[in-house]
Amino acid sequence: MGEFDLITHYFKTQQNPQRPDVALSIGDDCAILNCPPSQQIAITTDTMVEGTHFLPTISPKDLAYKALATNLSDLAAMGARPAWISLALTLPEVDQDWLKDFSETFFEVLTKENVSLIGGDTTQGKLHCISITAQGLLPKGKALRRDKARVGDYIFVSGTLGDSAAGLALLLGQKNTELKNYDAPIFAENYVVARHLRPTPRIALGQYLLDHDFSQCALDISDGLMADLTHILERSHCHAELDIEKLPYSEELTQLFSLATCEKFALTGGEDYELCFTVPEAKIQDFKKAILSSDLPVPVSCIGRITDGAENKITLQRNGKVVDFTFTQGFDHFSK
């Protein structure tokens, strides 16, 4: 099967959602899209390389899901509504069973989120490599941005933290050094592994924050809470105080690991793809009331405040007392 046969058979398919804003899709040199006059386009690109971003043993179904979810999470962090995807796929060989499983899950996710695959590329290489460019729509002049945190804002996170790092630890066979409970139910292990392999992009939450004007600042937690919150502090020129005892954990995580390990996973583990966002002090009461009555499928937790102090610094507190924490830098492709 040649390159163009592969594209036609697995990716030029009726499963691909047919959005009315796609004027020209797969099959030409470029796609042509129609953007509503009241909208702007948010664009993100992410590459996943075998052995660096995913284990060689990952199933093609999980890989397709995670590759899409991580890009959709970037759009969610801006409050954007996902619309279009381009896919560049590098394969060591044409494995038709692998491609069937990958493409089926890929289009299942696209259909669920009403996102169209509009183009891409396929190449041969030594390792599996997936590059995705995702594009979404934003109301003109509005977006959740890293440079919009202000002194006095409350810091929130969605969902629970640390599950993905725990799942990766189990996949890497690190339970002998980290696990606290060797008799924990198997569903607890399965849960954190699934959270690593299949994170949930918080698309509805991002749009809710933007549409209701509760926040102007957000990002998704991909490199660990400490590292990612530091990005907000760098761009917004401020300081943060976090209350460690308020970090949200899943019941499954606490069944498996000690509190100290849960804290480490939550603060530095990464790949949870939950949203970290700020809410201005003037809006905090309205936000709390609104979030309780909303039908959002994910809870949110207040874990600290944006403060006036040394820029880019995070102070960790436990029950009001400052604690020392050995900070591990977030993931960096080129760090030694």
Side-chain angles (χ1 to χ4, degrees):
M1 181 177 290
E3 175 187 358
F4 298 107
D5 294 329
L6 185 156
I7 293 170
T8 298
H9 188 75
Y10 292 105
F11 296 103
K12 192 176 180 181
T13 167
Q14 293 302 314
Q15 297 178 62
N16 193 13
Q18 303 301 306
R19 291 178 58 95
D21 48 21
V22 178
L24 185 63
S25 186
I26 298 171
D28 221 307
D29 290 308
C30 296
I32 300 176
L33 309 171
N34 297 313
C35 181
S38 61
Q39 303 282 298
Q40 291 178 308
I41 300 175
I43 304 172
T44 182
T45 299
D46 193 44
T47 298
M48 297 177 65
V49 180
E50 180 182 334
T52 300
H53 302 96
F54 59 90
L55 299 174
T57 54
I58 193 173
S59 75
K61 290 179 177 289
D62 287 336
L63 181 57
Y65 179 95
K66 190 167 186 177
L68 275 172
T70 57
N71 279 270
L72 295 179
S73 182
D74 282 337
L75 294 179
M78 301 290 287
R81 199 174 302 275
W84 315 296
I85 287 281
S86 297
L87 169 68
L89 186 60
T90 300
L91 303 169
E93 60 183 357
V94 176
D95 181 332
Q96 296 199 32
D97 290 336
W98 191 97
L99 282 163
K100 178 178 179 294
D101 287 345
F102 182 92
S103 62
E104 283 181 355
T105 300
F106 196 82
F107 285 111
E108 285 174 6
V109 177
L110 294 188
T111 299
K112 178 178 180 292
E113 302 298 344
N114 190 29
V115 175
S116 288
L117 176 67
I118 58 172
D121 192 23
T122 57
T123 57
Q124 185 177 29
K126 292 182 179 180
L127 298 172
H128 289 89
C129 180
I130 297 95
S131 291
I132 289 178
T133 296
Q135 302 176 64
L137 295 170
L138 284 165
K140 189 166 284 188
K142 292 186 67 176
L144 303 175
R145 294 169 38 165
R146 298 181 181 188
D147 62 348
K148 293 295 185 179
R150 297 294 181 264
V151 173
D153 287 0
Y154 289 82
I155 302 169
F156 283 81
V157 293
S158 64
T160 56
L161 302 180
D163 295 323
S164 180
L168 179 60
L170 295 182
L171 288 171
L172 292 175
Q174 295 175 356
K175 65 168 65 178
N176 290 335
T177 58
E178 300 281 4
L179 206 62
K180 77 163 184 180
N181 183 2
Y182 295 95
D183 297 320
I186 190 64
F187 71 77
E189 292 192 21
N190 291 341
Y191 176 82
V192 296
V193 168
R195 286 272 287 156
H196 174 72
L197 295 174
R198 296 205 171 202
T200 302
R202 302 304 184 184
I203 297 168
L205 176 60
Q207 292 173 11
Y208 180 86
L209 295 173
L210 191 70
D211 292 344
H212 291 80
D213 199 28
F214 283 129
S215 178
Q216 291 185 309
C217 176
L219 50 58
D220 67 331
I221 302 172
S222 56
D223 297 329
L225 176 62
M226 293 282 282
D228 287 318
L229 179 56
T230 297
H231 297 324
I232 287 178
L233 303 181
E234 288 172 347
R235 294 293 303 277
S236 297
H237 307 293
C238 51
H239 175 272
E241 294 179 353
L242 292 185
D243 300 314
I244 294 182
E245 75 277 7
K246 294 181 180 178
L247 295 174
Y249 307 119
S250 67
E251 181 180 348
E252 290 81 2
L253 182 68
T254 58
Q255 286 179 328
L256 291 164
F257 295 93
S258 68
L259 177 59
T261 301
C262 290
E263 289 177 354
K264 181 185 74 171
F265 285 159
L267 290 169
T268 65
E271 291 202 294
D272 284 311
Y273 295 101
E274 297 293 347
L275 294 191
C276 176
F277 60 95
T278 66
V279 176
E281 187 172 16
K283 297 181 179 181
I284 191 65
Q285 296 304 322
D286 289 341
F287 173 70
K288 288 181 176 180
K289 291 178 183 177
I291 207 74
L292 287 174
S293 61
S294 74
D295 58 357
L296 289 170
V298 61
V300 299
S301 303
C302 183
I303 61 169
R305 298 286 296 271
I306 298 294
T307 60
D308 190 10
E311 291 181 10
N312 314 337
K313 184 180 177 182
I314 300 172
T315 298
L316 295 177
Q317 302 178 131
R318 192 191 308 277
N319 299 318
K321 295 182 179 180
V322 175
V323 297
D324 292 327
F325 184 87
T326 302
F327 174 63
T328 302
Q329 182 178 340
F331 181 75
D332 186 326
H333 287 278
F334 299 103
S335 63
K336 299 290 186 179

